[in-house]
Every structure is written in structure tokens, then in C-alpha cells.
């Protein structure tokens, strides 16, 4: 049986990132509850690869793109656009490593924590579970904050006409209340339709923003000393290279914003568990990352060209007041709200499993977590082994309350995004996928190509420590400086 498993994994790896039909057969024929994706009452194999593509784009695209023109302005044309292309490829490669690692295990792991347990042991599985859930928890305030800012863009003109002025924390509180009903959904498949509408909304919003910036350029003369202005665009000043006074720490921080724009790998295996054909995950990965890379580069190039070094950290802030700006705010509010839902759902699932499962030897719906067998406590569960509605409500309420507090404690959009990109994005993107693949190959005695050795080595020894440590230190320093600024808004300070 072990030889058959290794043979299946080998066939999957030989066909590249398509993973082959054998992977699908292995997933469907396995008797493991984890492999079937039905162990916890949440997972149903119903999603097509197109739906998976939309969920990936719904979670990732549009949140990072809002700050990329600002990052490009700080990095210059060459470094900024090159970084987007490089990290798009890095994100795709990391997803491939995850899928290859999954193919090498008969149990068909459905999360980073499962892979960590299978490759190292229960302790590392628990550590990874805590780290990934922590990263999801830190990302949720970002989505809530960006959704509130977008809603503010949409509704402030209307409320202003009636003499109503709301504080920032009012907007985030209203957003939290509006999200709570939708947080009662249980599977990512249920969000696929919303993800499609979300992707369409962000594309339309980006088109409106860029069109507005091009039609209403800033009347600043280009400076040959600073760089160049693209022909036909009477834009602000731009530069081929990073500004001369930029410190290495600042460059690392702005690069972190680009890293975060491609970070969504922590839910990839969660998505695979809900796919009808897990072998088609590679197709979803290529399409989603390719479309996002094109959108990011176009948005960064046009936004930077149209506003130059003065482009705002939150791109719609560079637009003039009016109906177009309000429409963009409404579209982005919907998109980032869906992003919150997609990220919150697997986190709520993990919290629910932690609160409502207990070790058992009974032959009931169960799951293996870090080597122990668990089942739902019957008094706390609903249909199909899911937690009861009241329990799920309290979990979602607790998480969104936490998000509200953190979102108002760090009310600086671009800096917060940089902090997230450096603190959580780099390890998830560079660290775990490379380690999982190398370790899985060693366990299965599977040869590693020299290109994979180079790629994984660069991920583990250069990219992860560099962008994690230096970027995080710089982002924390920026937040401290912003809080101490007398003109900046303090946490929970009433500012409109």
C-alpha cells in the first residue's frame, strides 16, 4: 500500500502542477475522513475549479491592490513593477509546493496544520494551527477597516448633505453589525456566488478609479532630476528608481505591501477540501494568480503615472470628490466585506472545533487533529455534526468584536497593510510551503529537482527572514511615529 501511495504521488508530480487524475482518484477512494472532506460537517465537495478561482480572487484581489500604487511610488517604476511580477511568480510557486506536498501524503491533508503534523509531528501541528489562526485573526481587522473606509467614501457625501458627521469608529461599528448575519454561513462553497460578484465589483471599481485619475490629472510639472513623466499623462513626478533618501528599512516595508497583495495561501488547502476534483486546483491557481498579477501591474502603473509620488496610500483617496468616488466606495465596501467573510469562515471553523470537540472512542462523525481523534459534543452541535446556531453566532460575534477593537487601534491603512504583509504574509508565503515540500520529499524518499532546491532554499534562507524581520520592525516604527504625531488620529479618536 505504501508503494502504491508513493507511485500515485510520483505520477502526480511528474505531470507538473496539474497533479493528474490519479490525485483525484486518491482523494475520492480514500477511506480517511480528512481525505473525503466530510469529517467535520463543514466540508462538501461541490466547488468547481472556476468557483475556487473566484474564491481565491475574492479573498486576495482588491484588498492589496488599493495600496500598490503608493508602494510603487516609494519603490520607483523598475523596482515596484518588478516586485509585483516576482512575487506573483513566487505566490504561484508556493501554491504549487503546497499541492505537491499534499500529493505526497495518503491522508490528503486539508490545512497547514495537517501538513505540519504529518511532516514533523503533533507539536509542530499545534504550533502551525495557532500561527495560522493567529494570522487569520490579524487579517480580519484589516478587512473590517478597509470595508469601513470604503463605506465612508460611498455615504459621507449623502450624510453630509443632511448635516450628519460620523467618527471612524462609528463606521467600523456599523460595518461589523452589517457583516454579522452573513457570518452565519458555514462553507466556502456557499460564498462562491458572492465571490463572483465581489470580483466583478472590484474590477469595476478599479476601472472607475483609474479612469478618473487619467481624466483629472494633477497639474504638477515633471522633474527631470526626479525621473520622468510618461508621455501624454500630465502627471505628478515619478521615478525610475527608489527615492535617493529612502532607507533600506523603508524599502523592505513597502515591499511587504506587495507581498501581502498575493498572500492567501493559508486557505488554499481549505479550498481543496471543498473541490469536486482536487486535481484541478493547479488550474485555479494559475488563472487566479495570473489575473491578479495583470490587474496589480496595470493598477500600479496607471495610478502612479496619474498621481506620481503624491498618490495616496488608499488609492480612492486620490480621486476628486463626486459621484464616481462614492460609487467606488460602495463597490469596494462590498468587495472587502466578502473578503472578510472568506477569511473569517475557516477561522470560525477552527474555533468551533476547539470549543465543541472532545476526545472519544465512539463510532460517530470524527476527525483527526494533531494525532488525536475528536468528535463534536452532542449537546453543542446541529445538523450534520455542525455546531449549533447560537454557538456559531457567539463565535462570529467574538471575532468581529476583536476586529473592531484592533481596526480602531491601528487606523492607518497603508501602514497596517505593510505590517500584515511582513509579519504574517512572508512566513505563510515563503516558509511553510518550502519546508513542507522538502520535508515531504524526504519522508517519501522522493528526489528533489535542483531548481526546487534553489527555490525552496531562497524562500527559507533569504525571503522569509528578510521580509519578516526587517519589514515588521519598520512597520511597527511607522505606527509608533504616526500615533505620536500631534496631527494624526489617535486610537478611537473621533475623526471624520
Amino acid at each position: 500500500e505504501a508503494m502504491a501511495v508513493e507511485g500515485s504521488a510520483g505520477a502526480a508530480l511528474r505531470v507538473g502542477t496539474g497533479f493528474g487524475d490519479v490525485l483525484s482518484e486518491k482523494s475520492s477512494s480514500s477511506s480517511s475522513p480528512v481525505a473525503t472532506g466530510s469529517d467535520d460537517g463543514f466540508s462538501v465537495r461541490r466547488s468547481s475549479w472556476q468557483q475556487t478561482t473566484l474564491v481565491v480572487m475574492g479573498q486576495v484581489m482588491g484588498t492589496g491592490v488599493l495600496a500598490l500604487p503608493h508602494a510603487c511610488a516609494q519603490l520607483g517604476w523598475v523596482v515596484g513593477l518588478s516586485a509585483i511580477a516576482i512575487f506573483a511568480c513566487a505566490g504561484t510557486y508556493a501554491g504549487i509546493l503546497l499541492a505537491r506536498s499534499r500529493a505526497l501524503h495518503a491522508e490528503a491533508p486539508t490545512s497547514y496544520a495537517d501538513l505540519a503534523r504529518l511532516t514533523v509531528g503533533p507539536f509542530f501541528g499545534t504550533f502551525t494551527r495557532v500561527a495560522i489562526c493567529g494570522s487569520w485573526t490579524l487579517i480580519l481587522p484589516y478587512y473590517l477597516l478597509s470595508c469601513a473606509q470604503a463605506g465612508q467614501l460611498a455615504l459621507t457625501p449623502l450624510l453630509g448633505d443632511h448635516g450628519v458627521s460620523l467618527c471612524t469608529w462609528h463606521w467600523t461599528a456599523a460595518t461589523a453589525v452589517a457583516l454579522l448575519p452573513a457570518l452565519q454561513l458555514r462553507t466556502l462553497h456557499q460564498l462562491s456566488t458572492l465571490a463572483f460578484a465581489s470580483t466583478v465589483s472590484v474590477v469595476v471599481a478599479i476601472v472607475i478609479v483609474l479612469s478618473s485619475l487619467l481624466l483629472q490629472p494633477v497639474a504638477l510639472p515633471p522633474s527631470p532630476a526626479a525621473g520622468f513623466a510618461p508621455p501624454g499623462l500630465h502627471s505628478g513626478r515619478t521615478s525610475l528608481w527608489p527615492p535617493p533618501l529612502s532607507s533600506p528599512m523603508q524599502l523592505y516595508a513597502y515591499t511587504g505591501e506587495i507581498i501581502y497583495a498575493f498572500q492567501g495561501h493559508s486557505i488554499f488547502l481549505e479550498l481543496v477540501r471543498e473541490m469536486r476534483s482536487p486535481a484541478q486546483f493547479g488550474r485555479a491557481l494559475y488563472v487566479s494568480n495570473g489575473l491578479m498579477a495583470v490587474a496589480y501591474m496595470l493598477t500600479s502603473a496607471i495610478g502612479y503615472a496619474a498621481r506620481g509620488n503624491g498618490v495616496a496610500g488608499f488609492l480612492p483617496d486620490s480621486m476628486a470628490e463626486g459621484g464616481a468616488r462614492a460609487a467606488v466606495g460602495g463597490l469596494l465596501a462590498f468587495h472587502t466585506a466578502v473578503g472578510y467573510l472568506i477569511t473569517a469562515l475557516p477561522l470560525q471553523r477552527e474555533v468551533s472545533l476547539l470549543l465543541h470537540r472532545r476526545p472519544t472512542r465512539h463510532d460517530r462523525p470524527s476527525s483527526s487533529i494533531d494525532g488525536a481523534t475528536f468528535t463534536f459534543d452532542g449537546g453543542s452541535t446541529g445538523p450534520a455534526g455542525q455546531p449549533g446556531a447560537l454557538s456559531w453566532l457567539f463565535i462570529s460575534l467574538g471575532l468581529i468584536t476583536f476586529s473592531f477593537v484592533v481596526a480602531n487601534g491601528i487606523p492607518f491603512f497603508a501602514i497596517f497593510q505593510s505590517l500584515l504583509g511582513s509579519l504574517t504574509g512572508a512566513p505563510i508565503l515563503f516558509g511553510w510551503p518550502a519546508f513542507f515540500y522538502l520535508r515531504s520529499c524526504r519522508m517519501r524518499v522522493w528526489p528533489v529537482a535542483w531548481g526546487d532546491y534553489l527555490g525552496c532554499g531562497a524562500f527559507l534562507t533569504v525571503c522569509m527572514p528578510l521580509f519578516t524581520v526587517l519589514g515588521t520592525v519598520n512597520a511597527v516604527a511607522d505606527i509608533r511615529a504616526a500615533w505620536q504625531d500631534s496631527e494624526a488620529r489617535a486610537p478611537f479618536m473621533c475623526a471624520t
Side-chain angles (χ1 to χ4, degrees), residues 234-250:
H234 302 289
S235 66
R237 295 170 182 173
T238 65
S239 174
L240 278 174
W241 303 99
L245 299 180
S246 298
S247 67
M249 293 292 292
Q250 289 175 322

Side-chain angles (χ1 to χ4, degrees), residues 73 77 218-230 233-240 304-311:
W77 286 104
V218 177
L220 290 178
S223 171
F228 75 102
L233 298 178
H234 302 289
S235 66
R237 295 170 182 173
T238 65
S239 174
L240 278 174
Y304 183 32
R307 287 297 184 266
N309 294 331
V311 66

Side-chain angles (χ1 to χ4, degrees), residues 82-437:
S82 297
I84 293 174
I86 291 172
F87 290 121
C89 294
T92 303
Y93 181 58
I96 292 171
L97 293 177
L98 286 173
R100 289 178 176 176
S101 300
R102 181 181 183 275
L104 283 165
H105 294 278
E107 189 174 321
T110 59
S111 68
Y112 269 50
D114 284 346
L115 267 177
R117 174 177 56 83
L118 291 172
T119 54
V120 177
F123 179 81
F124 189 54
T126 301
F127 168 79
T128 301
R129 187 178 301 278
V130 172
I132 295 301
C133 289
S135 72
W136 288 340
T137 305
L138 290 176
I139 290 172
L140 290 182
Y142 162 77
Y143 279 112
L144 184 64
L145 176 61
S146 59
C147 185
Q149 289 178 327
Q152 189 174 3
L153 282 176
L155 298 178
T156 294
L158 177 63
L159 295 177
D161 292 341
H162 293 81
V164 178
S165 179
L166 298 178
C167 302
T168 299
W169 69 268
H170 291 154
W171 289 102
T172 52
T175 302
V177 172
L179 285 172
L180 191 58
L183 286 170
Q184 306 318 302
L185 297 175
R186 306 296 182 94
T187 68
L188 292 169
H189 176 78
Q190 292 174 323
L191 295 175
S192 59
T193 301
L194 284 175
F196 172 73
S198 172
T199 302
V200 172
S201 71
V202 74
V203 170
V204 173
I206 291 172
V207 170
I208 295 175
V209 172
L210 298 181
S211 300
S212 175
L213 297 184
L214 291 174
L215 293 175
Q216 298 177 344
V218 177
L220 290 178
S223 171
F228 75 102
L233 298 178
H234 302 289
S235 66
R237 295 170 182 173
T238 65
S239 174
L240 278 174
W241 303 99
L245 299 180
S246 298
S247 67
M249 293 292 292
Q250 289 175 322
L251 297 181
Y252 292 135
Y254 291 119
T255 304
E257 296 181 17
I258 299 176
I259 295 173
Y260 179 72
F262 289 100
Q263 195 276 316
H265 295 66
S266 59
I267 73 164
F268 280 5
L269 295 176
E270 301 279 346
L271 291 171
V272 173
R273 96 155 90 187
E274 296 191 14
M275 292 185 69
R276 286 197 297 262
S277 176
Q280 293 183 327
F281 177 70
R283 188 179 303 176
L285 185 65
Y286 275 117
V287 172
S288 59
N289 277 275
L291 291 176
M292 286 189 292
V294 172
Y296 289 174
M297 295 189 75
L298 287 176
T299 303
S300 299
I302 297 176
Y304 183 32
R307 287 297 184 266
N309 294 331
V311 66
F314 182 58
L315 187 59
D317 287 342
S318 296
M319 299 176 64
E321 297 287 346
R325 192 167 186 257
V328 167
L331 291 167
L332 293 180
F334 174 73
H335 175 76
T336 49
V338 175
Y340 185 99
L341 298 176
I342 294 174
T343 304
L345 192 149
L347 178 59
Q348 291 177 191
R349 174 190 294 161
E350 290 293 334
V351 175
S352 177
L353 296 180
L354 178 65
L355 295 178
H356 299 302
R357 287 193 171 192
R358 59 184 175 80
T360 182
R361 292 184 179 180
H362 295 101
D363 187 18
R364 291 186 290 174
S366 61
S367 175
S368 178
I369 299 180
D370 297 338
T373 300
F374 291 83
T375 188
F376 282 112
D377 190 337
S380 303
T381 61
Q386 295 191 23
L390 185 61
S391 174
W392 190 261
L393 173 63
F394 277 114
I395 292 172
S396 59
L397 181 61
L399 289 175
I400 206 165
T401 300
F402 170 84
S403 301
F404 168 75
V405 173
V406 173
N408 287 279
I410 310 177
F412 311 100
F413 189 89
I415 300 176
F416 190 24
Q417 185 176 16
S418 177
L419 175 62
L420 289 175
S422 301
L423 184 63
T424 65
I428 291 174
L429 178 62
F430 299 117
W432 271 289
F435 174 80
F436 287 151
Y437 180 64

